Amino acid sequence: MKQFAMRLFLLTLACLVAITATTSAAKKSLDEQRQEIREMSKVTLSKLYEKYPSAQRVIGECYGYATLSNSNTNIILFSSSRGRGLAVNNRTGEEVFMKMKEVGIGLGAGAREFDLVFVFDDEDAWNRFLTGKNKFGGEVSATATDGNAGGAVEGATLASKGIWIYQMTTKGLSLEATLNSTSYYKDKKLNKKSE
């Protein structure tokens, strides 16, 4: 019973931290929020390159990529994740600020933070991601192939045609078995032109 009470306390604390972070983000100017996301993206890529040095070549040669930082909370039968990030088109230099939302049901308890790096093979994969028309299956393959050279991309999983994902847990512990529905979409507020 003490363990359950401690877990419930930790989950409540994690929820309060997430709410506080969301509130403080709302007080920053749009330019400050954009810069914060750009810096977060650089840190995520740095961690990825440290863990998988070959990823630097993959990111440099792909059509485009997106980095998203997420926090996940799972309380008994309900789980949710929220995240934000940046998609970059390597061909045009276009930056698109993104949001991510996930809800799920299933048994579990915990809170964790993780980073996702999406790699887009071509314009079609890029456009499907940006418009939210991409459907990610419940299972992904253990290895993605490099569309250019036909070799394996170390550490990535093939999530959909032309889209690979690297996932890195940054901190936290989560024991869960959930079925999740995840949506990725453009952040309308941050993608407005600066005045």
Side-chain angles (χ1 to χ4, degrees):
M1 191 65 174
K2 287 182 182 180
Q3 287 181 349
F4 177 76
M6 182 58 131
R7 286 182 182 163
L8 188 56
F9 170 75
L10 290 174
L11 290 174
T12 304
L13 185 61
C15 289
L16 290 173
V17 168
I19 290 168
T20 303
T22 303
T23 304
S24 69
K27 293 179 182 178
K28 295 179 181 176
S29 76
L30 294 180
D31 285 335
E32 288 172 326
Q33 290 179 55
R34 289 181 191 112
Q35 191 55 38
E36 185 177 274
I37 291 171
R38 286 182 186 109
E39 290 301 319
M40 190 170 52
S41 179
K42 287 178 188 174
V43 169
T44 298
L45 289 175
S46 232
K47 288 186 220 172
L48 177 66
Y49 300 157
E50 186 177 316
K51 187 170 183 174
Y52 301 108
S54 63
Q56 190 161 5
R57 178 191 56 82
V58 172
I59 297 293
E61 294 176 0
C62 69
Y63 185 84
Y65 65 91
T67 58
L68 286 114
S69 292
N70 306 279
S71 9
N72 171 278
T73 305
N74 191 335
I75 304 174
I76 306 180
L77 292 175
F78 176 75
S79 72
S80 73
S81 291
R82 292 194 179 277
R84 59 190 188 144
L86 180 66
V88 177
N89 185 319
N90 281 337
R91 301 297 185 265
T92 65
E94 176 187 15
E95 289 184 330
V96 180
F97 294 91
M98 301 294 294
K99 283 189 171 185
M100 172 255 174
K101 188 185 308 183
E102 176 181 75
V103 257
I105 56 171
L107 293 174
R112 66 187 168 113
E113 292 180 10
F114 59 98
D115 295 323
L116 297 172
V117 179
F118 291 82
V119 179
F120 308 109
D121 214 13
D122 54 32
E123 185 176 10
D124 179 57
W126 166 263
N127 288 331
R128 283 193 333 266
F129 182 78
L130 291 184
T131 59
K133 293 181 180 175
N134 198 71
K135 300 296 180 205
F136 294 108
E139 295 182 23
V140 293
S141 68
T143 309
T145 58
D146 179 345
N148 299 321
V153 177
E154 179 188 11
T157 54
L158 183 61
S160 181
K161 182 181 177 196
I163 300 177
W164 315 327
I165 299 176
Y166 294 94
Q167 180 175 340
M168 298 171 293
T169 301
T170 54
K171 61 182 172 180
L173 175 63
S174 184
L175 305 170
E176 59 186 89
T178 60
L179 297 171
N180 297 317
S181 172
T182 308
S183 59
Y184 301 93
Y185 52 96
K186 293 178 182 179
D187 185 324
K188 291 179 184 175
K189 185 173 68 170
L190 292 183
N191 285 307
K192 285 184 181 175
K193 299 287 184 210
S194 296
E195 296 177 3

